[in-house]
């Protein structure tokens, strides 16, 4: 597997799958989630509504992943995963690592060969970037996956620099 870093907008990635740092409702939100829903169009939300009406009636659990169409994005699928909110009193790093492992498992089930990830949980969920990057890179490196191309798409130069140091 090749791991690369890209500074830019995840909604512009030409990959088989882009990963959405979703909230458990799957109904869109801010940050990466809002950008993916806005750019991808109503097709993504329609599939999310069907998921909520079925197996994920109570929402997508933290650390799990599920796929939908990518709508108008230049990808085939969006893999939605719910990252944990950072806590100073509880170690939730296994849940964060699970987001990456489960996303790759879903990618494998779809036959995806390229996956673009954001830095999950580092926005409003408050995970310190250096720790999140270490967890993300370790989880991807250790994953048993057929995905050949993993991209971390980082929105700003500070995030890119942290991932670059650890890569």
């Amino acid at each position: 597997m090749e791991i690369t870093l890209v500074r830019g907008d995840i909604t512009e990635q030409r990959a088989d799958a882009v990963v959405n740092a979703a909230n458990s409702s799957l109904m869109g939100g801010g940050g990466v989630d809002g950008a993916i829903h806005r750019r991808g169009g109503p097709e993504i939300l329609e599939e999310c509504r069907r998921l909520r009406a079925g197996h994920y009636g109570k929402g997508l659990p933290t650390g799990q992943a599920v796929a939908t169409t990518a709508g108008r994005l230049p990808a085939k699928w969006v893999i939605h995963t719910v990252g944990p909110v950072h806590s100073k009193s509880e170690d939730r790093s296994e849940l964060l690592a699970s987001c990456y492992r489960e996303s790759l498992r879903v990618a494998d089930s779809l036959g995806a060969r390229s996956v673009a990830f954001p830095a999950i949980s580092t926005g409003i969920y408050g995970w310190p970037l250096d720790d999140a990057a270490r967890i993300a890179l370790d989880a991807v490196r250790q994953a048993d996956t057929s995905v050949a191309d993993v991209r971390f798409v980082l929105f700003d130069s500070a995030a890119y620099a942290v991932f670059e140091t650890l890569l």
Side-chain angles (χ1 to χ4, degrees), residues 106-137:
V106 170
D108 282 336
S109 74
L110 297 168
R113 301 289 290 151
S114 58
V115 176
F117 281 103
I120 298 167
S121 287
T122 61
I124 190 103
Y125 287 6
W127 208 287
L129 192 54
D130 56 341
D131 193 43
R134 178 189 55 78
I135 292 166
L137 289 165

Side-chain angles (χ1 to χ4, degrees), residues 54-68:
H55 186 72
Y56 297 102
K58 294 182 179 180
L60 182 64
T62 302
Q64 297 300 303
V66 66
T68 65

